[in-house]
Amino acid sequence: MAMDCERFDKVTIELLYEELDELSAAAARRHLHHCTRCQGIWNKLRATKDIAIVPQVEPPADLFESIIEAERRAESALPLPERFSRLVSVIAGYAMRPQLAMAALLLLMIGSSLLFVRQDPTGRDQVSVTELGAPRSAPAEAGVRAAPVVVEGEGAPAGPAAEAESHPLAPEPKTTYSEAMAAYHEGRYAEAERLFGEVAAQGGEKAGSAALHEGHAARNGSGCQRAARLYDAVAEHFTGTTLAEEASWHAASCYQALGELGRARAHYVALEGSPAFRDRAAAALTAVDEALENARGMPRADTAVASAQAEPAPPSNQSPSDAAVAAAPVAKTTTAAPAAPAAAAPAKGAGRTEVQAGGTKTAPSP
Amino acid sequence: MTGGLTEPADEMLMVRYRRGDRAAFAEIVRRYQTPLYTFSLRYLRDKDRARDVTQEAFLRVVRRAEEFKHESRFSTWVFAITRNLCIDELRKGRHRNHASLDASSGESAPLMDRVSSAEAGPERRALGAELQDGITRAIAGLPDDQREVFLLRQLGGVPFADIAKITDTPENTVKSRMRYALERLQKELSEFEEYARALR
């Protein structure tokens, strides 16, 4: 705001004693810069302020002692309640010292930690999983979970190791599918993956969808490396269902993105048998084959044959979701194509798959 | 007067004193006894009464320590106490035969020998007794209301808004009084203008 002489006169004293706000002070100084009338007034007032410093007069030498003595007498003459309140203040002052406060905080933390820590540290994270169908398992790479899992087979005899490890746990609140989905839609993928895994492990009608979404969450949160294994596991566990085909499609997509074209191809080949995915799978297969051909730098007709045969899954000892959706198939490459990645069995992992550069034949399951 | 970077602030000393630290009170007295005594002396123009008022002001601090709520600066609070005591002292109307600071040159001379200017630098301290005498006379010649505002602001560093509260006067009036005081001092001290200009 522009300042004129009248306004400057009003703020001169505040400017002189530095009590004017910054904006007004700047405006006043700008005015001073070009107004000779105000400059004259300002210079005289400032000179007077500088020179008119009140000479300090030393008090009598005994004044200090007199004051201290008077203070001592006044303190002792204070009424009892006031003296008591000051004593309380003194004690409180000591009690509130930082060292004491820190010590109290430390004791509180130790006490609370003792209260909340359970006797069996492993029991807290254990999850009981009821698996429907034949127990199958996948290698540990299909998913990593810190918590040990006890798999209790239903409809098929559980392995002795699983039986030995399984024991009743204290009931914990079940994670709901909607909670997991909410976390997923809000972009909290790590949490969503964990929650979907828990829902899948609980079983029930949402288990399959939860397992598939666990893969989606893993893909969005951690990437295809992790998600592909989860998709594989879903495709394997829910073999013959639309869910398995969808999982297989996503697994193929992931493997393709990872450059593991052999695995991707195996999934696409399997999906060619699905009415829902046939066309898309064929198109994807063409693209994969072209990529393989380019990678090899040789005609498709001359490519070697890579066949893979799924092996029975090893005993389960993995994460909740992994256990819930059983295991991903383990592919064994019998004849590896030059420069081609080891081919993995797709969702229908029990079948025998032959992967060729120019085409794939899927043998029926024995 | 308030603590420097390494010294505790006045307000912190008051907190410590209220918790029973009497050394904190002693530090407050060391910081404020000279400006409060100077203020009282300029206000009352009487050494003994100035001494009594200064001591009483610190005793009020002791008695009212619990009342200090940190809503204002300690300096404002203690200067307000001192100013009120000075007014009470003036109202008593007792005229003792004490030596007046500016009554005559014969009495003021030994007092002025003790005059020091702690706020000023070496050049300022080199100012002769003539200038200090002139300043003292000029301040003494100010009207009471202007001298009060001038002393509170120059000596106590009390902001104008706080002076307005202490004196129960509109803030703009306080600023006007300060300006009139400066203009009056300007005339009285015009003979020292060259001296002041040389110092800048």
Side-chain angles (χ1 to χ4, degrees):
Chain A
M1 181 188 296
M3 184 170 286
D4 54 19
C5 296
E6 188 180 357
R7 289 181 61 84
F8 182 82
D9 283 343
K10 287 182 181 175
V11 300
T12 307
I13 290 296
E14 287 166 285
L15 184 66
L16 195 61
Y17 285 89
E18 298 174 355
E19 289 190 19
L20 203 57
D21 64 90
E22 282 187 25
L23 279 177
S24 303
R29 289 197 185 93
R30 280 197 300 273
H31 176 75
L32 260 183
H33 200 66
H34 60 76
C35 178
T36 51
R37 177 246 178 208
C38 292
Q39 275 178 21
I41 294 170
W42 170 258
N43 289 335
K44 284 184 178 178
L45 283 174
R46 196 179 59 176
T48 307
K49 182 203 169 210
D50 288 347
I51 202 172
I53 291 175
V54 184
Q56 299 262 7
V57 182
E58 287 296 324
D62 62 339
L63 180 61
F64 179 82
E65 290 302 325
S66 299
I67 293 169
I68 296 299
E69 176 61 22
E71 183 268 339
R72 192 186 61 75
R73 284 198 304 270
E75 276 285 329
S76 59
L78 282 175
L80 196 61
E82 195 164 336
R83 288 167 70 185
F84 179 72
S85 70
R86 290 200 180 186
L87 181 65
V88 169
S89 292
V90 173
I91 294 169
Y94 277 99
M96 292 304 289
R97 285 188 172 181
Q99 296 91 333
L100 285 175
M102 289 298 292
L105 185 64
L106 189 63
L107 283 174
L108 188 67
M109 288 170 65
I110 292 171
S112 60
S113 63
L114 287 174
L115 186 67
F116 288 115
V117 169
R118 296 185 180 187
Q119 285 187 333
D120 180 8
T122 58
R124 186 180 177 204
D125 293 332
Q126 273 194 339
V127 178
S128 179
V129 177
T130 301
E131 184 183 353
L132 299 172
R136 303 178 72 102
S137 58
E141 67 173 13
V144 178
R145 288 288 188 281
V149 177
V150 178
V151 178
E152 183 183 327
E154 193 173 275
E163 281 183 358
E165 288 183 8
S166 68
H167 54 82
L169 294 171
E172 290 187 3
K174 285 189 174 182
T175 306
T176 63
Y177 183 80
S178 57
E179 284 174 359
M181 192 57 83
Y184 181 77
H185 286 308
E186 288 168 13
R188 292 179 278 124
Y189 296 119
E191 184 185 353
E193 184 187 344
R194 179 178 60 79
L195 294 174
F196 278 128
E198 288 175 7
V199 173
Q202 288 163 12
E205 61 179 15
K206 292 285 187 183
S209 178
L212 183 64
H213 276 85
E214 184 186 9
H216 294 341
R219 184 174 189 168
N220 289 328
S222 307
C224 266
Q225 193 74 46
R226 181 177 178 80
R229 303 297 189 271
L230 291 171
Y231 288 135
D232 269 345
V234 177
E236 170 65 15
H237 186 72
F238 296 94
T239 301
T241 65
T242 309
L243 189 74
E245 290 171 351
E246 191 176 347
S248 186
W249 170 259
H250 288 296
S253 168
C254 265
Y255 283 128
Q256 192 174 352
L258 291 168
E260 296 184 39
L261 299 180
R263 287 175 186 267
R265 191 173 198 288
H267 277 287
Y268 288 138
V269 167
L271 286 169
E272 278 190 313
S274 159
F277 287 92
R278 183 182 298 127
D279 295 341
R280 282 184 282 173
L285 202 54
T286 305
V288 169
D289 285 343
E290 285 175 358
L292 278 171
E293 191 177 337
N294 291 336
R296 290 175 188 140
M298 58 180 67
R300 289 173 64 180
D302 297 333
T303 53
V305 175
S307 62
Q309 182 175 4
E311 287 184 342
S316 174
N317 186 24
Q318 72 243 26
S319 64
S321 62
D322 301 326
V325 296
V330 176
K332 181 178 180 182
T333 306
T334 52
T335 308
K348 297 175 182 175
R352 173 185 170 90
T353 306
E354 283 185 359
V355 181
Q356 290 181 330
T360 303
K361 295 175 184 174
T362 304
S365 301
Chain B
M1 278 163 281
T2 195
L5 287 177
T6 55
E7 297 172 330
D10 302 333
E11 292 75 16
M12 184 52 65
L13 288 174
M14 275 302 289
V15 171
R16 282 167 48 185
Y17 175 59
R18 278 157 53 175
R19 288 177 182 170
D21 184 355
R22 299 178 73 182
F25 178 75
E27 176 60 25
I28 288 173
V29 176
R30 280 190 204 96
R31 287 184 188 180
Y32 279 93
Q33 64 170 348
T34 299
L36 290 185
Y37 178 74
T38 305
F39 178 85
S40 306
L41 187 61
R42 299 288 177 240
Y43 210 107
L44 300 169
R45 307 178 197 189
D46 187 305
K47 288 187 291 182
D48 288 345
R49 294 165 81 188
R51 179 205 157 98
D52 292 346
V53 162
T54 306
Q55 181 166 322
E56 182 58 26
F58 282 112
L59 284 179
R60 294 276 173 97
V61 168
V62 171
R63 293 190 198 107
R64 297 182 185 175
E66 300 298 325
E67 295 175 19
F68 180 63
K69 302 295 183 190
H70 301 276
E71 288 166 357
S72 62
R73 298 192 309 175
F74 175 79
S75 59
T76 298
W77 186 58
V78 76
F79 268 94
I81 289 172
T82 309
R83 178 255 182 191
N84 290 337
L85 285 170
C86 287
I87 290 174
D88 290 345
E89 191 67 23
L90 286 175
R91 281 177 184 160
K92 286 177 187 172
R94 289 179 300 178
H95 300 287
R96 302 173 194 170
N97 290 322
H98 293 305
S100 173
L101 174 67
D102 47 10
S104 70
S105 59
E107 285 183 342
S108 65
L111 194 58
M112 293 307 297
D113 288 343
R114 300 201 298 268
V115 167
S116 64
S117 182
E119 291 180 19
E123 298 95 343
R124 184 76 71 192
R125 283 198 296 271
L127 281 173
E130 188 183 359
L131 173 58
Q132 295 201 354
D133 214 7
I135 293 170
T136 304
R137 275 199 309 273
I139 293 171
L142 290 173
D144 290 347
D145 55 355
Q146 292 176 24
R147 189 172 68 250
E148 180 180 67
V149 172
F150 179 81
L151 290 175
L152 284 170
R153 187 65 189 82
Q154 285 280 98
L155 204 52
V158 183
F160 294 122
D162 289 344
I163 295 175
K165 287 178 190 168
I166 292 169
T167 60
D168 195 20
T169 309
E171 191 176 338
N172 283 335
T173 306
V174 168
K175 291 174 196 166
S176 297
R177 287 177 183 172
M178 188 70 190
R179 180 161 186 154
Y180 294 143
L182 283 177
E183 287 172 351
R184 197 172 181 120
L185 291 173
Q186 185 183 310
K187 287 177 188 170
E188 296 291 327
L189 302 174
S190 58
E191 58 185 298
F192 299 106
E193 262 185 19
E194 286 300 321
Y195 209 110
R197 200 171 293 127
L199 291 180
R200 287 201 298 273

